[in-house]
Amino acid sequence: MFVFVTGATGFIGSRVVDELLAAGHDVLGLTRSDAGAAALAAKGARAHRGTLEDPAALCAGAAQCDAVIHLAFDHDFSNFQANCDKDKRVITALGETLAGSSRPLLITSGVGMGMPAHGQLAVETVLNFEHPNPRIASELAGAAVASTGVDVRVVRLPQVHDTNRFGLITYAMDIAREKGMSAYVEDGGNRYSAVHVSDAARLYRLALEKGAAGERYHPVAEEGVPMKDIAETIGRVLGIPTASLSAEEAEAHFGWMAMFAGFDLPASSQLTRERLDWRPTGSSLLDDLGRYRESSSLGA
């Protein structure tokens, strides 16, 4: 297939491009820069210039291809609601471009959207319209597009990691370094599900090749890693103390990230494994986090 990938030069998207090319697909990758275009060309992919603020440019890329994998997202979490609304507009525009065809549109969301209730494992068969995470806008847009007959498939991401980046935990680490303390909320029993970036990238390819319209997929290797364990690992890596904070104290410590710091986000991937024969093989979140010192320049 000829696949249009947004976010093609990003942390996950660049690995997805590698997966697709290795499997014999052709790739048209969205990029906003000359450097990004050069990186795509070096891999054997074509570049398409555009930004999330210009849906018409995205649609021009999608119109050329047999399928779309939408990974691009503005990760300025201080403007999270606005960026989720922007993603909704992009998904709507891409859906309009693919309307009337059988071309699949893979969109990206978070595992929290599949939680039936607080503290319960997120599952692929659930879409919780009441979840407080603003990223629900992406799935609402996808559902609206799917109702018009477009083949929409959803990939819900947990914390995606290697030894340099860890999803939201990267920001928690930045805050810990700045404050000189690695913190968790209350008893730190809330959990984050996680997956290595290589396993996440393979899941996107499998969802394209083996997936079905209307299905949701969870690239989850670890169902729930306690935040206390994460904070303690950060403390060891950075050489700073670890402490429990009350919910009120967490507001001041974490700033914009306070809403995420206390989230309990365990998730299952049982159906994903069964449907796509996906088996994660990458290292664990705590192992990668513990190796951060070896692969990064602290304080950089």
Side-chain angles (χ1 to χ4, degrees), residues 1-298:
M1 283 185 279
F2 187 26
V3 186
F4 181 47
V5 179
T6 74
T9 61
F11 176 52
I12 303 171
S14 61
R15 273 78 165 189
V16 172
V17 170
D18 293 341
E19 276 280 335
L20 294 171
L21 292 172
H25 300 288
D26 295 316
V27 173
L28 180 67
L30 179 70
T31 181
R32 72 178 90 184
S33 69
D34 290 340
L40 289 167
K43 293 182 176 187
R46 290 171 51 190
H48 180 77
R49 300 298 285 265
T51 69
L52 293 176
E53 289 73 29
D54 185 5
L58 305 185
C59 293
Q64 303 176 46
C65 296
D66 303 313
V68 176
I69 296 179
H70 175 46
L71 271 155
F73 188 80
D74 188 338
H75 287 93
D76 176 5
F77 286 99
S78 64
N79 293 305
F80 191 45
Q81 180 66 64
N83 292 330
C84 290
D85 292 340
K86 178 165 57 179
D87 195 53
K88 181 177 181 178
R89 292 192 294 272
V90 169
I91 291 170
T92 300
L94 291 171
E96 291 172 352
T97 301
L98 300 179
S101 74
S102 60
R103 294 175 290 169
L105 169 61
L106 275 66
I107 67 171
T108 303
S109 179
V111 291
M113 307 312 114
M115 295 181 68
H118 178 72
Q120 296 184 12
L121 279 176
V123 293
E124 297 91 334
T125 53
V126 169
L127 174 54
N128 183 353
F129 293 99
E130 304 303 320
H131 197 278
N133 190 330
R135 195 69 191 265
I136 191 68
S138 300
E139 291 214 32
L140 294 177
V145 168
S147 70
T148 68
V150 176
D151 178 351
V152 177
R153 308 169 193 182
V154 181
V155 177
R156 291 171 168 165
L157 295 177
Q159 306 309 304
V160 183
H161 60 86
D162 61 5
T163 56
N164 282 305
R165 297 181 63 172
F166 314 93
L168 287 169
I169 297 161
T170 300
Y171 301 98
M173 179 175 278
D174 290 341
I175 293 168
R177 184 185 291 110
E178 176 189 347
K179 299 293 182 70
M181 178 181 69
S182 179
Y184 54 90
V185 183
E186 304 292 356
D187 66 357
N190 60 301
R191 299 152 290 174
Y192 278 172
S193 52
V195 69
H196 191 273
V197 64
S198 62
D199 292 319
R202 188 168 70 258
L203 186 283
Y204 274 96
R205 175 178 61 79
L206 292 173
L208 175 66
E209 295 173 343
K210 299 182 178 183
E215 289 191 343
R216 309 178 189 98
Y217 303 106
H218 291 182
V220 170
E222 297 176 273
E223 290 189 346
V225 183
M227 283 300 296
K228 182 178 180 182
D229 293 350
I230 292 169
E232 288 177 343
T233 303
I234 291 173
R236 286 196 300 272
V237 167
L238 297 183
I240 57 178
T242 303
S244 167
L245 301 179
S246 68
E248 293 75 19
E249 291 170 329
E251 289 284 340
H253 179 84
F254 287 106
W256 64 263
M257 196 187 159
M259 69 173 289
F260 299 106
F263 270 179
D264 190 30
L265 294 171
S268 168
S269 59
Q270 179 179 341
L271 289 180
T272 296
R273 296 177 192 229
E274 293 173 358
R275 291 167 174 171
L276 301 180
D277 193 27
W278 175 77
R279 297 292 183 271
T281 60
S283 49
S284 72
L285 171 62
L286 293 183
D287 282 348
D288 272 0
L289 189 57
R291 289 195 291 266
Y292 176 78
R293 183 183 298 274
E294 299 173 9
S295 60
S296 305
S297 175
L298 293 180

